[in-house]
Amino acid sequence: MAKAAKKKSDSGQLREQLVRLQREMDTFAYTLSHDLRAPLIHIGGFVDLLLQHAGPKLDERSRHYLQRIAESTYHMGRMVDDVLALSRLSRAEMHLMRLELKDLIKEVMNDVRGLTENRNIRWEIGELPAVVADPTLLRVAFDNLVSNAIKFTRRRPEAVISISSERVDGEAIIAIRDNGIGFDTKQQNRLYGVFQRLHSVADSDGTGTGLAQVLRILQRHGGRTWAESVPDQGATFYLALPDGGPAGA
């Protein structure tokens, strides 16, 4: 009994240490990213001024260099914004409520309408449950996954994207499937990392933080996320949310 109690106590202390470390890392990321914004804005601004002031006098190679600086500054600015967004997801207060996922998915599909223009996409939306979750955070998670499904099926004459669900052992498990380019499951350990890409820039124009956001959101809800795929045969991303919401909520 004493050993079991000590083991439980040690486990609780380790969990508290991990939570404290995560908070410190989030604070560090927020501070670092916030401080990087000002110099990036200055660099971008001065490049624009230089192009306006001296552009006609510069040769083609010099203008090309300045344009590359401007593009790199813009890309790094997006990365900073995404780190800030990831940090805010960890720090934001949660507002749990009962949500009808079918209504949330309709809102997400409206959000991503710009990505579907001139595309042949067949949507297959199954029966979706009600869950207890923060509507803003969960919408971000689904927005990331649905946007990815749209992007990674762009090579297909007809994209097929399906969203389905089932209840298993006290969890609502939602599956988002596509018939896109897929990925190699040997790289699963990189899938949810910050700034990690499994595809070329031609296939993905993001910064590589979307799935990290999904993971963080599911963790805050006491849930799980994972994926299955075969290269060039599509991918399936799963979100598992506990019935009744996060424990202790």
Side-chain angles (χ1 to χ4, degrees), residues 31-91:
T31 303
L32 179 63
S33 300
H34 190 271
D35 290 344
L36 282 174
R37 286 182 61 84
L40 285 174
I41 291 172
H42 291 157
I43 293 170
F46 282 121
V47 168
D48 288 341
L49 288 173
L50 185 57
L51 283 170
Q52 293 174 21
H53 178 72
K57 303 174 186 177
L58 298 174
D59 58 33
E60 184 176 349
R61 177 173 293 183
S62 297
R63 288 195 297 273
H64 172 73
Y65 290 158
L66 285 174
Q67 189 60 42
R68 291 294 300 272
I69 293 172
E71 291 171 356
S72 296
T73 302
Y74 171 74
H75 181 69
M76 188 171 182
R78 288 183 61 196
M79 295 174 70
V80 169
D81 287 342
D82 284 348
V83 170
L84 285 171
L86 184 60
S87 178
R88 291 189 187 108
L89 290 177
S90 302
R91 299 155 65 91

Side-chain angles (χ1 to χ4, degrees), residues 11 27 31 44 50 56 58 66 82 85 94 105 113 148 176 185 188 203 205 216 231 235-236 238:
S11 177
T27 300
T31 303
L50 185 57
L58 298 174
L66 285 174
D82 284 348
M94 291 181 64
I105 292 300
R113 186 181 303 171
N148 280 352
I176 300 176
T185 53
Q188 279 266 16
D203 290 315
D205 54 3
R216 190 67 56 85
T236 304
Y238 297 92

Side-chain angles (χ1 to χ4, degrees), residues 108-121 123 146-147 149-151 153 159 161:
V108 169
M109 290 176 67
N110 186 61
D111 291 342
V112 300
R113 186 181 303 171
L115 298 175
T116 64
E117 293 180 358
N118 302 317
R119 291 282 307 278
N120 180 19
I121 300 178
W123 295 94
V146 172
S147 296
I150 294 171
K151 286 188 292 186
T153 56
I161 301 173

Side-chain angles (χ1 to χ4, degrees), residues 113-147:
R113 186 181 303 171
L115 298 175
T116 64
E117 293 180 358
N118 302 317
R119 291 282 307 278
N120 180 19
I121 300 178
R122 186 170 86 238
W123 295 94
E124 299 177 348
I125 311 299
E127 291 294 323
L128 299 174
V131 297
V132 176
D134 180 291
T136 301
L137 293 181
L138 201 59
R139 186 166 172 172
V140 171
F142 277 102
D143 188 274
N144 274 310
L145 292 176
V146 172
S147 296

Side-chain angles (χ1 to χ4, degrees), residues 89 91-96 133-134 137 217 219-222 246:
L89 290 177
R91 299 155 65 91
E93 182 179 354
M94 291 181 64
H95 300 281
L96 300 175
D134 180 291
L137 293 181
I217 290 168
Q219 288 175 336
R220 293 203 65 189
H221 283 82

